[in-house]
Amino acid sequence: MATSTVPIADSALPSTAKTVIYDLPTRTLQLHANVPIPTPDPTKGDHLIRVQTTALCARELDWPFLYPDAIFSDNPEKLIIPGYDLGGVVVTSPPASPFQPGDEIYARTPASRPGNCREYTIARTGEMALKPKSMDWVETACVPLSVLTAWQALFVHGGIEAEGLVERVLRGSGGGGGGGGGSGGKKRVLVTAAAGGVGIWLVQLARIARCEVVAQIGSLENDKFVRSFGASQTVNYKDVSLKQWVETDGNNEVDIAIDLIGGKTLEECWYCVKDGGTLISIIEPPETRKPDGWEEMREGKKDVKSVFFIMEPIGSQLTEVSKLIDEGQCKPVLDSVWDLEETEKAFERLNSGHHRGKIVIKIAQ
Protein backbone atom coordinates (compact mmCIF):
# COMPACT_ATOMS: atom_id res chain seq x y z
CA MET A 1 0.00 0.00 0.00
CA ALA A 2 1.53 3.31 -1.11
CA THR A 3 1.70 6.36 1.11
CA SER A 4 1.85 10.10 0.62
CA THR A 5 3.51 12.55 2.97
CA VAL A 6 3.67 16.34 2.72
CA PRO A 7 7.01 18.10 3.35
CA ILE A 8 7.65 19.91 6.59
CA ALA A 9 7.98 23.68 6.38
CA ASP A 10 11.15 25.18 7.83
CA SER A 11 9.05 27.13 10.31
CA ALA A 12 7.58 23.88 11.66
CA LEU A 13 10.90 22.13 12.07
CA PRO A 14 11.57 21.34 15.74
CA SER A 15 14.94 21.82 17.40
CA THR A 16 14.79 18.54 19.34
CA ALA A 17 13.29 15.11 18.77
CA LYS A 18 12.74 11.70 20.34
CA THR A 19 15.85 9.54 20.00
CA VAL A 20 16.83 6.06 21.18
CA ILE A 21 20.47 6.00 22.32
CA TYR A 22 22.49 2.93 23.21
CA ASP A 23 24.51 3.74 26.32
CA LEU A 24 27.87 2.05 25.86
CA PRO A 25 29.04 1.85 29.52
CA THR A 26 25.81 0.21 30.71
CA ARG A 27 24.87 -1.45 27.41
CA THR A 28 21.30 -0.27 27.77
CA LEU A 29 18.85 1.37 25.38
CA GLN A 30 17.47 4.67 26.55
CA LEU A 31 14.72 6.77 24.97
CA HIS A 32 15.45 10.50 25.19
CA ALA A 33 12.63 12.95 24.52
CA ASN A 34 14.62 16.07 23.62
CA VAL A 35 17.79 15.32 21.70
CA PRO A 36 18.89 18.07 19.25
CA ILE A 37 18.06 17.10 15.69
CA PRO A 38 21.16 16.50 13.54
CA THR A 39 22.63 19.30 11.48
CA PRO A 40 23.27 18.28 7.86
CA ASP A 41 26.57 19.14 6.19
CA PRO A 42 25.80 20.04 2.54
CA THR A 43 29.44 19.51 1.54
CA LYS A 44 29.05 15.80 2.42
CA GLY A 45 25.77 15.38 0.57
CA ASP A 46 23.78 15.32 3.81
CA HIS A 47 19.97 15.39 3.68
CA LEU A 48 17.85 15.92 6.76
CA ILE A 49 15.24 13.15 6.80
CA ARG A 50 12.00 12.90 8.78
CA VAL A 51 12.10 9.24 9.74
CA GLN A 52 8.99 7.15 9.19
CA THR A 53 10.38 3.69 9.90
CA THR A 54 13.59 1.81 10.52
CA ALA A 55 14.47 -1.87 11.02
CA LEU A 56 16.83 -3.67 13.37
CA CYS A 57 19.76 -5.90 12.49
CA ALA A 58 21.00 -8.92 14.42
CA ARG A 59 24.02 -8.23 16.63
CA GLU A 60 24.16 -4.53 15.75
CA LEU A 61 24.48 -3.53 19.42
CA ASP A 62 27.69 -5.58 19.58
CA TRP A 63 29.34 -3.75 16.70
CA PRO A 64 30.76 -0.83 18.75
CA PHE A 65 32.67 -3.34 20.87
CA LEU A 66 33.68 -5.71 18.06
CA TYR A 67 34.60 -3.12 15.41
CA PRO A 68 35.19 0.21 17.19
CA ASP A 69 37.52 1.64 14.55
CA ALA A 70 34.91 1.16 11.82
CA ILE A 71 31.87 2.08 13.86
CA PHE A 72 33.31 5.36 15.14
CA SER A 73 35.12 6.35 11.92
CA ASP A 74 32.45 8.93 11.04
CA ASN A 75 31.03 9.32 14.54
CA PRO A 76 33.50 11.24 16.70
CA GLU A 77 30.90 11.79 19.43
CA LYS A 78 30.51 7.99 19.72
CA LEU A 79 26.76 8.40 19.66
CA ILE A 80 25.19 5.00 19.05
CA ILE A 81 21.65 5.17 17.72
CA PRO A 82 20.40 1.80 16.43
CA GLY A 83 18.47 1.03 13.27
CA TYR A 84 20.35 1.48 9.99
CA ASP A 85 17.53 0.75 7.55
CA LEU A 86 15.60 3.90 6.73
CA GLY A 87 12.31 4.95 5.26
CA GLY A 88 11.58 8.66 5.42
CA VAL A 89 10.80 12.02 3.87
CA VAL A 90 13.40 14.55 2.77
CA VAL A 91 13.23 17.75 4.84
CA THR A 92 16.29 19.58 3.52
CA SER A 93 18.71 18.71 0.73
CA PRO A 94 22.08 20.05 -0.44
CA PRO A 95 22.42 22.05 -3.66
CA ALA A 96 21.91 20.10 -6.90
CA SER A 97 20.66 17.02 -5.09
CA PRO A 98 18.33 14.74 -7.07
CA PHE A 99 16.28 14.39 -3.86
CA GLN A 100 14.16 17.38 -2.93
CA PRO A 101 12.09 18.23 0.17
CA GLY A 102 8.98 16.10 0.23
CA ASP A 103 10.55 13.17 -1.63
CA GLU A 104 9.87 9.78 -0.07
CA ILE A 105 13.11 7.85 0.10
CA TYR A 106 14.67 4.75 1.55
CA ALA A 107 18.26 3.88 2.30
CA ARG A 108 20.68 1.82 4.29
CA THR A 109 22.79 4.27 6.24
CA PRO A 110 26.23 3.05 7.35
CA ALA A 111 26.90 1.96 10.92
CA SER A 112 29.82 4.39 11.02
CA ARG A 113 27.25 7.13 11.66
CA PRO A 114 24.40 7.29 14.19
CA GLY A 115 21.38 5.27 13.02
CA ASN A 116 17.71 5.99 12.52
CA CYS A 117 15.81 5.12 15.72
CA ARG A 118 14.95 8.80 15.99
CA GLU A 119 12.51 11.25 14.51
CA TYR A 120 15.11 13.02 12.35
CA THR A 121 18.24 11.60 10.79
CA ILE A 122 20.88 12.17 8.11
CA ALA A 123 21.17 10.33 4.79
CA ARG A 124 23.62 11.07 1.99
CA THR A 125 22.97 11.31 -1.71
CA GLY A 126 24.71 8.11 -2.78
CA GLU A 127 22.89 6.04 -0.16
CA MET A 128 19.38 7.09 -1.11
CA ALA A 129 16.72 6.01 -3.57
CA LEU A 130 13.09 6.89 -4.06
CA LYS A 131 11.07 4.34 -2.15
CA PRO A 132 8.93 1.81 -4.05
CA LYS A 133 5.58 3.44 -4.87
CA SER A 134 3.67 0.26 -4.13
CA MET A 135 4.94 -0.12 -0.57
CA ASP A 136 3.90 1.46 2.72
CA TRP A 137 6.47 2.71 5.21
CA VAL A 138 6.58 -0.48 7.27
CA GLU A 139 7.28 -2.62 4.19
CA THR A 140 9.86 -0.10 2.98
CA ALA A 141 11.98 -0.45 6.13
CA CYS A 142 12.22 -4.21 5.56
CA VAL A 143 14.16 -3.83 2.33
CA PRO A 144 17.49 -1.91 2.24
CA LEU A 145 20.04 -3.92 4.26
CA SER A 146 18.77 -7.33 3.25
CA VAL A 147 18.30 -6.64 -0.44
CA LEU A 148 21.60 -4.76 -0.83
CA THR A 149 23.47 -7.66 0.77
CA ALA A 150 21.73 -10.12 -1.55
CA TRP A 151 22.19 -7.94 -4.64
CA GLN A 152 25.90 -7.48 -4.02
CA ALA A 153 26.44 -11.16 -3.24
CA LEU A 154 24.85 -12.28 -6.50
CA PHE A 155 25.63 -9.52 -8.97
CA VAL A 156 28.81 -7.88 -7.66
CA HIS A 157 30.69 -10.84 -6.16
CA GLY A 158 28.88 -13.85 -7.61
CA GLY A 159 29.37 -12.96 -11.26
CA ILE A 160 25.69 -13.11 -12.22
CA GLU A 161 25.08 -10.51 -14.93
CA ALA A 162 23.02 -7.59 -13.61
CA GLU A 163 23.33 -5.20 -16.54
CA GLY A 164 20.01 -5.03 -18.34
CA LEU A 165 18.42 -7.56 -15.99
CA VAL A 166 15.72 -5.28 -14.63
CA GLU A 167 14.86 -3.95 -18.08
CA ARG A 168 14.47 -7.50 -19.43
CA VAL A 169 12.24 -8.42 -16.51
CA LEU A 170 10.08 -5.34 -16.99
CA ARG A 171 9.72 -6.19 -20.69
CA GLY A 172 8.59 -9.65 -19.66
CA SER A 173 11.57 -11.52 -21.10
CA GLY A 174 12.93 -12.74 -17.75
CA GLY A 175 16.50 -12.74 -16.56
CA GLY A 176 18.09 -14.30 -19.60
CA GLY A 177 19.38 -17.56 -18.16
CA GLY A 178 21.33 -16.33 -15.13
CA GLY A 179 24.58 -16.55 -17.01
CA GLY A 180 27.50 -14.26 -16.42
CA GLY A 181 29.62 -13.13 -19.34
CA GLY A 182 27.59 -15.05 -21.89
CA SER A 183 28.23 -18.44 -20.31
CA GLY A 184 24.71 -19.69 -21.11
CA GLY A 185 22.67 -22.16 -19.12
CA LYS A 186 21.27 -21.81 -15.64
CA LYS A 187 23.60 -21.17 -12.75
CA ARG A 188 22.98 -23.23 -9.63
CA VAL A 189 23.04 -21.12 -6.47
CA LEU A 190 23.10 -22.53 -2.93
CA VAL A 191 21.79 -20.23 -0.18
CA THR A 192 22.19 -21.14 3.49
CA ALA A 193 19.72 -19.72 6.05
CA ALA A 194 17.49 -19.25 3.04
CA ALA A 195 14.37 -18.44 5.07
CA GLY A 196 16.09 -15.52 6.84
CA GLY A 197 16.03 -11.83 6.01
CA VAL A 198 18.92 -11.83 3.52
CA GLY A 199 18.30 -15.41 2.41
CA ILE A 200 14.79 -14.80 1.13
CA TRP A 201 16.02 -11.89 -0.99
CA LEU A 202 18.79 -14.09 -2.42
CA VAL A 203 16.19 -16.69 -3.36
CA GLN A 204 14.04 -14.05 -5.08
CA LEU A 205 16.84 -12.25 -6.92
CA ALA A 206 18.42 -15.51 -8.07
CA ARG A 207 15.03 -16.66 -9.38
CA ILE A 208 14.58 -13.35 -11.21
CA ALA A 209 18.03 -13.87 -12.77
CA ARG A 210 16.86 -17.32 -13.94
CA CYS A 211 19.17 -19.24 -11.64
CA GLU A 212 18.34 -22.61 -10.13
CA VAL A 213 18.10 -21.98 -6.40
CA VAL A 214 19.01 -24.56 -3.76
CA ALA A 215 17.89 -23.43 -0.31
CA GLN A 216 19.22 -24.82 2.95
CA ILE A 217 16.42 -24.83 5.54
CA GLY A 218 15.55 -26.41 8.88
CA SER A 219 11.88 -27.31 8.79
CA LEU A 220 9.03 -28.47 6.57
CA GLU A 221 7.40 -25.10 7.11
CA ASN A 222 10.48 -23.33 5.76
CA ASP A 223 10.61 -25.76 2.84
CA LYS A 224 7.20 -24.53 1.69
CA PHE A 225 8.13 -20.95 2.51
CA VAL A 226 11.30 -20.74 0.39
CA ARG A 227 9.74 -22.65 -2.49
CA SER A 228 6.96 -20.06 -2.57
CA PHE A 229 9.64 -17.43 -3.23
CA GLY A 230 11.37 -19.39 -5.99
CA ALA A 231 13.63 -22.09 -4.55
CA SER A 232 13.57 -25.21 -6.72
CA GLN A 233 15.35 -27.55 -4.29
CA THR A 234 15.86 -27.59 -0.52
CA VAL A 235 18.33 -29.22 1.85
CA ASN A 236 17.17 -29.68 5.44
CA TYR A 237 20.23 -29.42 7.67
CA LYS A 238 18.44 -31.43 10.35
CA ASP A 239 18.29 -34.40 7.98
CA VAL A 240 21.55 -34.18 6.04
CA SER A 241 24.70 -32.06 6.14
CA LEU A 242 25.81 -30.20 3.04
CA LYS A 243 28.83 -32.49 2.79
CA GLN A 244 26.61 -35.57 2.88
CA TRP A 245 24.23 -34.00 0.39
CA VAL A 246 27.00 -33.52 -2.18
CA GLU A 247 28.64 -36.89 -1.53
CA THR A 248 25.30 -38.59 -2.15
CA ASP A 249 25.03 -37.09 -5.63
CA GLY A 250 27.86 -35.25 -7.36
CA ASN A 251 25.28 -33.48 -9.54
CA ASN A 252 24.31 -31.49 -6.46
CA GLU A 253 27.39 -29.28 -6.83
CA VAL A 254 26.62 -25.60 -7.39
CA ASP A 255 28.19 -22.74 -9.29
CA ILE A 256 27.79 -20.30 -6.40
CA ALA A 257 27.37 -20.97 -2.69
CA ILE A 258 26.35 -18.03 -0.51
CA ASP A 259 26.67 -18.63 3.22
CA LEU A 260 24.86 -16.48 5.77
CA ILE A 261 25.73 -18.52 8.87
CA GLY A 262 29.49 -19.07 9.12
CA GLY A 263 31.28 -21.68 11.20
CA LYS A 264 30.65 -25.33 10.33
CA THR A 265 28.08 -24.42 7.69
CA LEU A 266 30.61 -22.29 5.84
CA GLU A 267 33.15 -25.09 6.06
CA GLU A 268 30.70 -27.53 4.47
CA CYS A 269 29.90 -25.08 1.67
CA TRP A 270 33.40 -25.74 0.32
CA TYR A 271 32.32 -29.25 -0.63
CA CYS A 272 29.36 -27.92 -2.62
CA VAL A 273 31.10 -25.61 -5.10
CA LYS A 274 32.07 -26.80 -8.56
CA ASP A 275 35.57 -26.35 -9.88
CA GLY A 276 35.60 -22.78 -11.19
CA GLY A 277 32.76 -21.76 -8.88
CA THR A 278 32.49 -19.14 -6.17
CA LEU A 279 31.98 -19.37 -2.40
CA ILE A 280 30.70 -16.18 -0.76
CA SER A 281 30.30 -15.38 2.93
CA ILE A 282 28.96 -12.29 4.70
CA ILE A 283 29.99 -13.65 8.12
CA GLU A 284 33.70 -14.48 7.92
CA PRO A 285 36.38 -15.08 5.25
CA PRO A 286 35.78 -18.54 3.70
CA GLU A 287 39.52 -19.25 3.68
CA THR A 288 39.45 -19.41 7.48
CA ARG A 289 36.94 -22.28 7.27
CA LYS A 290 38.55 -24.38 4.54
CA PRO A 291 38.22 -28.09 5.51
CA ASP A 292 41.28 -29.97 6.71
CA GLY A 293 42.89 -31.87 3.87
CA TRP A 294 41.01 -29.80 1.33
CA GLU A 295 43.70 -29.91 -1.35
CA GLU A 296 43.93 -33.69 -1.24
CA MET A 297 40.16 -34.17 -1.22
CA ARG A 298 39.67 -32.04 -4.30
CA GLU A 299 42.09 -34.16 -6.39
CA GLY A 300 43.41 -31.21 -8.32
CA LYS A 301 40.10 -29.35 -8.54
CA LYS A 302 41.25 -26.28 -6.66
CA ASP A 303 39.83 -23.42 -8.69
CA VAL A 304 37.22 -22.15 -6.24
CA LYS A 305 37.04 -18.39 -5.77
CA SER A 306 36.25 -17.35 -2.20
CA VAL A 307 34.84 -13.96 -1.23
CA PHE A 308 34.08 -12.25 2.06
CA PHE A 309 32.42 -8.86 1.81
CA ILE A 310 30.61 -6.25 3.85
CA MET A 311 27.57 -4.69 2.24
CA GLU A 312 27.94 -1.15 0.89
CA PRO A 313 25.03 1.33 1.03
CA ILE A 314 24.50 2.04 -2.68
CA GLY A 315 21.34 3.91 -3.59
CA SER A 316 21.51 3.13 -7.32
CA GLN A 317 21.08 -0.56 -6.53
CA LEU A 318 18.00 0.24 -4.45
CA THR A 319 16.62 2.14 -7.43
CA GLU A 320 16.79 -1.05 -9.50
CA VAL A 321 15.15 -3.01 -6.69
CA SER A 322 12.33 -0.47 -6.49
CA LYS A 323 11.46 -1.22 -10.12
CA LEU A 324 11.28 -4.94 -9.42
CA ILE A 325 9.15 -4.44 -6.32
CA ASP A 326 6.72 -2.14 -8.08
CA GLU A 327 6.33 -4.74 -10.84
CA GLY A 328 5.47 -7.38 -8.26
CA GLN A 329 8.63 -9.39 -8.92
CA CYS A 330 9.77 -9.54 -5.30
CA LYS A 331 8.70 -8.54 -1.82
CA PRO A 332 10.03 -8.30 1.74
CA VAL A 333 9.07 -10.41 4.73
CA LEU A 334 7.84 -8.63 7.85
CA ASP A 335 7.98 -10.19 11.30
CA SER A 336 6.59 -7.48 13.56
CA VAL A 337 6.16 -3.74 14.07
CA TRP A 338 7.02 -1.80 17.23
CA ASP A 339 6.73 1.80 18.35
CA LEU A 340 9.85 3.82 19.10
CA GLU A 341 9.09 3.50 22.81
CA GLU A 342 9.20 -0.29 22.40
CA THR A 343 12.66 -0.51 20.83
CA GLU A 344 14.07 -2.52 23.74
CA LYS A 345 11.27 -5.08 23.41
CA ALA A 346 11.86 -5.19 19.67
CA PHE A 347 15.50 -6.10 20.27
CA GLU A 348 14.34 -8.83 22.66
CA ARG A 349 12.23 -10.24 19.85
CA LEU A 350 15.20 -10.01 17.48
CA ASN A 351 17.57 -11.74 19.90
CA SER A 352 15.08 -14.52 20.68
CA GLY A 353 15.79 -16.13 17.32
CA HIS A 354 12.09 -16.91 16.87
CA HIS A 355 11.36 -14.23 14.30
CA ARG A 356 10.90 -14.62 10.57
CA GLY A 357 11.47 -11.50 8.53
CA LYS A 358 12.34 -7.99 9.57
CA ILE A 359 11.57 -6.31 12.87
CA VAL A 360 10.46 -2.75 12.14
CA ILE A 361 10.33 0.32 14.37
CA LYS A 362 7.54 2.71 13.43
CA ILE A 363 8.56 6.23 14.36
CA ALA A 364 6.18 8.72 12.73
CA GLN A 365 2.65 8.42 14.09
Side-chain angles (χ1 to χ4, degrees):
M1 177 180 176
T3 58
S4 178
T5 311
V6 297
I8 298 174
D10 289 342
S11 59
L13 191 64
S15 59
T16 63
K18 292 180 181 179
T19 303
V20 173
I21 296 176
Y22 185 54
D23 184 70
L24 293 174
T26 62
R27 299 199 180 196
T28 58
L29 291 162
Q30 301 173 0
L31 176 62
H32 298 260
N34 296 295
V35 174
I37 67 171
T39 303
D41 182 347
T43 66
K44 295 181 178 179
D46 287 357
H47 298 67
L48 182 65
I49 308 296
R50 173 70 167 101
V51 182
Q52 302 291 314
T53 48
T54 186
L56 305 182
C57 179
R59 298 180 294 275
E60 68 172 87
L61 296 182
D62 294 331
W63 296 345
F65 305 97
L66 296 174
Y67 317 110
D69 291 344
I71 295 301
F72 299 125
S73 62
D74 200 13
N75 186 2
E77 296 180 357
K78 296 187 177 182
L79 176 64
I80 300 299
I81 299 173
Y84 298 100
D85 286 304
L86 170 64
V89 181
V90 177
V91 178
T92 66
S93 56
S97 171
F99 304 99
Q100 294 300 304
D103 284 349
E104 298 180 346
I105 62 92
Y106 69 151
R108 164 69 176 185
T109 58
S112 58
R113 302 201 311 268
N116 308 305
C117 272
R118 50 179 168 170
E119 293 177 306
Y120 291 87
T121 194
I122 296 293
R124 292 178 178 167
T125 308
E127 303 159 358
M128 300 162 57
L130 295 176
K131 87 173 187 66
K133 296 177 181 178
S134 59
M135 300 181 76
D136 62 27
W137 287 115
V138 168
E139 294 168 318
T140 297
C142 295
V143 178
L145 167 65
S146 298
V147 82
L148 285 172
T149 304
W151 183 282
Q152 291 166 25
L154 277 174
F155 303 127
V156 177
H157 303 289
I160 302 298
E161 182 61 59
E163 185 175 356
L165 171 66
V166 173
E167 287 71 21
R168 290 195 296 273
V169 170
L170 299 187
R171 289 199 306 266
S173 60
S183 60
K186 283 190 175 183
K187 297 286 189 181
R188 278 172 58 83
V189 179
L190 169 67
V191 180
T192 69
V198 175
I200 210 65
W201 279 107
L202 280 164
V203 171
Q204 293 182 90
L205 292 178
R207 168 189 49 83
I208 290 169
R210 294 288 182 88
C211 297
E212 181 183 351
V213 184
V214 181
Q216 188 196 40
I217 45 86
S219 69
L220 179 61
E221 182 183 10
N222 281 343
D223 179 278
K224 296 177 181 178
F225 181 64
V226 298
R227 287 182 187 273
S228 72
F229 282 90
S232 56
Q233 185 178 359
T234 61
V235 183
N236 191 327
Y237 70 84
K238 293 181 179 178
D239 297 332
V240 61
S241 70
L242 291 174
K243 182 175 183 290
Q244 293 168 334
W245 174 68
V246 170
E247 290 175 343
T248 301
D249 185 349
N251 291 325
N252 284 335
E253 285 187 329
V254 299
D255 299 285
I256 304 168
I258 304 175
D259 177 56
L260 311 175
I261 301 174
K264 185 66 174 179
T265 302
L266 176 56
E267 179 181 321
E268 294 199 342
C269 283
W270 280 96
Y271 297 103
C272 301
V273 184
K274 295 178 181 178
D275 190 38
T278 303
L279 172 56
I280 300 170
S281 171
I282 67 168
I283 303 298
E284 56 186 324
E287 292 292 329
T288 65
R289 293 292 181 175
K290 188 177 286 187
D292 293 337
W294 168 254
E295 309 300 340
E296 293 77 12
M297 285 185 287
R298 292 291 284 186
E299 297 180 354
K301 296 172 67 175
K302 305 174 184 177
D303 186 20
V304 174
K305 177 185 176 183
S306 67
V307 178
F308 167 70
F309 79 99
I310 297 173
M311 182 278 307
E312 296 182 48
I314 300 176
S316 60
Q317 293 171 357
L318 288 178
T319 297
E320 297 299 286
V321 171
S322 292
K323 299 173 187 176
L324 294 172
I325 291 173
D326 284 338
E327 285 295 316
Q329 292 290 325
C330 50
K331 61 183 180 180
V333 178
L334 170 69
D335 177 83
S336 54
V337 184
W338 307 77
D339 291 333
L340 187 63
E341 291 79 7
E342 300 175 303
T343 301
E344 187 171 7
K345 292 181 179 179
F347 268 106
E348 290 174 3
R349 171 70 179 170
L350 178 69
N351 295 332
S352 73
H354 299 309
H355 65 288
R356 174 191 279 176
K358 296 295 285 188
I359 294 174
V360 171
I361 307 296
K362 186 178 179 181
I363 296 171
Q365 301 298 321

